[in-house]
Amino acid sequence: MSLTVRIKKQLGDFCLEADFTAEQETLALLGASGCGKSVTLKCIAGILQPDEGLIQLDGQTLYDSAAGVCLPPQKRGVGYLFQNYALFPNMTVRQNIAAAVTDKSRRRAVAEEKLRQFQLEPLADLKPAQLSGGQQQRTALARILASEPRAILLDEPFSALDSYLKYQMELELTEMLERFSGPILFVTHDQGEVFRACRRVCVMDQGRTQGVLTLRELFHAPGTQAAARLSGCKNLADAVPQGTKAVLPQWGLTLECDRPVPADIRCAGIRADLISPHPQEGANAVPCTVQRVIQDVFTTIVLLRPEGAAVDAPPLRMEVDRDARQTVENGSRLTVFIQSRDILLLK
């Protein structure tokens, strides 16, 4: 079973161009706020109509501008978990779940089954306003699965939850979705959620999808500045290709790469946790001045100024384990090392 999306949608000055295929998997749509992730889900669900393109689910055409096909939401077989869960406020938990079952003869039995499956039986007669955020989410998920969808759309499902509840719900949701046999789209801007819940990622930037990557590709070879930034890379700088070297004028650095640098590369990325504070001789040893040391919960963030950096150059960010033995202080000198294999070459 697969979901194919090739659509365009103009909303004022914003233009969406989405092109991807999700197989029987949980595929992340990863992008910054306002990049078009939720608009894409609404087009798939039939809440918004694209201007042109094609949407197919398991061989069935849900939308085709050329053929004049546009199925209504209730005929698409798509379950949509909204950010605010969109429960019916005047219905109980049991009634909300039952409302999703189209076969009236099975409505009561399916509702009771989902109440048991999602551990909602003690809450069955309560209304949404009487539920916690996690309980509302479980009710919304139970309602979705009661409708027997062929695909599930999750629109930032943890955005309304506090950090502890988010962790608990993430575990529960991941376990529930492992049993689902169709494609799942997981919209988020959190690379941690992607890493824990998905195996493939479609990056979105300013309304456009940038292809589907595996998790390894996203973190080790993201390909574009947008994908590197969304994967958590903190150090990005303009780059000039020079054989197997990348020249970074802002920092006054010439870094040796472990492969030829393509001519169309315009940026280099260096992950903060892959910069080593232990000096090594040879290429990619970078003498710096420590500008600032910041203690985070589990790491020490060190902002560095490489020798020869331009006046307006951003700091080079290094992150080390908070319990690391080496102590650095503001204004001290420190030579750090960057492995040639760890330099991201980006378009």
Side-chain angles (χ1 to χ4, degrees):
M1 186 178 291
S2 65
L3 173 66
T4 298
V5 179
R6 293 196 300 271
I7 55 173
K8 293 183 180 181
K9 176 69 176 178
Q10 189 77 38
L11 292 169
D13 295 333
F14 177 79
C15 181
L16 172 72
E17 295 186 22
D19 187 349
F20 63 89
T21 296
E23 304 296 340
Q24 188 172 320
E25 62 182 326
T26 300
L27 175 70
L29 285 184
L30 178 64
S33 297
C35 73
K37 305 184 299 294
S38 294
V39 174
T40 301
L41 294 195
K42 289 176 181 177
C43 288
I44 296 169
I47 299 169
L48 288 176
Q49 182 174 329
D51 298 328
E52 60 179 278
L54 176 71
I55 302 172
Q56 288 184 326
L57 174 58
D58 193 23
Q60 180 187 18
T61 299
L62 307 185
Y63 172 81
D64 186 343
S65 58
V69 176
C70 184
L71 296 185
Q74 62 270 24
K75 292 188 177 181
R76 295 196 175 201
V78 173
Y80 191 161
L81 181 65
F82 294 86
Q83 290 185 29
N84 62 358
Y85 310 135
L87 298 172
F88 299 119
N90 296 323
M91 291 185 179
T92 64
V93 169
R94 178 182 281 108
Q95 290 167 339
N96 263 281
I97 297 171
V101 184
T102 55
D103 184 347
K104 293 183 180 180
S105 66
R106 298 179 59 243
R107 189 167 287 169
R108 182 178 180 82
V110 172
E112 295 303 321
E113 176 194 348
K114 296 307 174 189
L115 287 171
R116 287 192 297 272
Q117 181 181 349
F118 285 82
Q119 300 177 13
L120 291 167
E121 290 172 296
L123 311 172
D125 296 320
L126 299 182
K127 293 183 178 179
Q130 298 171 287
L131 306 177
S132 69
Q135 291 165 347
Q136 289 183 37
Q137 186 185 80
R138 275 191 284 154
T139 301
L141 282 168
R143 184 176 65 178
I144 286 173
L145 293 180
S147 70
E148 299 181 343
R150 293 177 294 153
I152 293 177
L153 312 179
L154 304 174
D155 195 352
E156 300 201 34
F158 309 118
S159 62
L161 306 177
D162 62 54
S163 58
Y164 177 77
L165 185 56
K166 172 182 173 179
Y167 171 73
Q168 294 294 324
M169 288 306 302
E170 188 177 324
L171 290 177
E172 291 182 21
L173 180 62
T174 301
E175 183 178 344
M176 293 171 192
L177 295 180
E178 284 176 351
R179 300 191 290 268
F180 184 70
S181 60
I184 301 168
L185 293 187
F186 188 137
V187 159
T188 182
H189 58 265
D190 186 324
Q191 66 267 19
E193 290 178 4
V194 170
F195 192 84
R196 293 186 293 271
C198 308
R199 292 293 172 264
R200 296 203 308 156
V201 184
C202 180
V203 171
M204 293 194 72
D205 183 46
Q206 298 181 19
R208 295 187 177 185
T209 53
Q210 299 193 348
V212 175
L213 304 172
T214 64
L215 277 184
R216 179 173 179 78
E217 289 169 336
L218 177 66
F219 288 96
H220 295 281
T224 66
Q225 295 182 50
R229 190 179 297 111
L230 289 167
S231 72
C233 183
K234 304 292 195 309
N235 297 306
L236 296 170
D238 293 340
V240 178
Q242 193 180 88
T244 59
K245 298 178 180 179
V247 180
L248 313 183
Q250 282 181 299
W251 287 325
L253 300 178
T254 298
L255 297 179
E256 186 71 42
C257 302
D258 65 345
R259 62 230 185 255
V261 181
D264 59 350
I265 293 301
R266 295 293 177 268
C267 180
I270 306 166
R271 297 199 182 278
D273 61 324
L274 295 181
I275 298 176
S276 171
H278 306 291
Q280 299 185 33
E281 295 182 358
N284 299 353
V286 183
C288 301
T289 300
V290 177
Q291 286 187 317
R292 188 179 177 190
V293 179
I294 304 168
Q295 296 297 340
D296 206 344
V297 179
F298 301 112
T299 61
T300 297
I301 301 168
V302 184
L303 303 183
L304 303 165
R305 181 176 180 80
E307 286 186 0
V311 175
D312 59 348
L316 180 65
R317 176 171 172 146
M318 176 177 69
E319 296 178 6
V320 295
D321 188 274
R322 186 162 183 170
D323 296 328
R325 294 181 181 179
Q326 185 167 358
T327 301
V328 293
E329 299 178 352
N330 294 345
S332 63
R333 295 179 63 78
L334 179 67
T335 297
V336 299
F337 182 75
I338 303 166
Q339 293 276 4
S340 59
R341 66 172 181 269
D342 293 331
I343 300 167
L344 305 178
L345 303 176
L346 310 167
K347 297 179 182 178

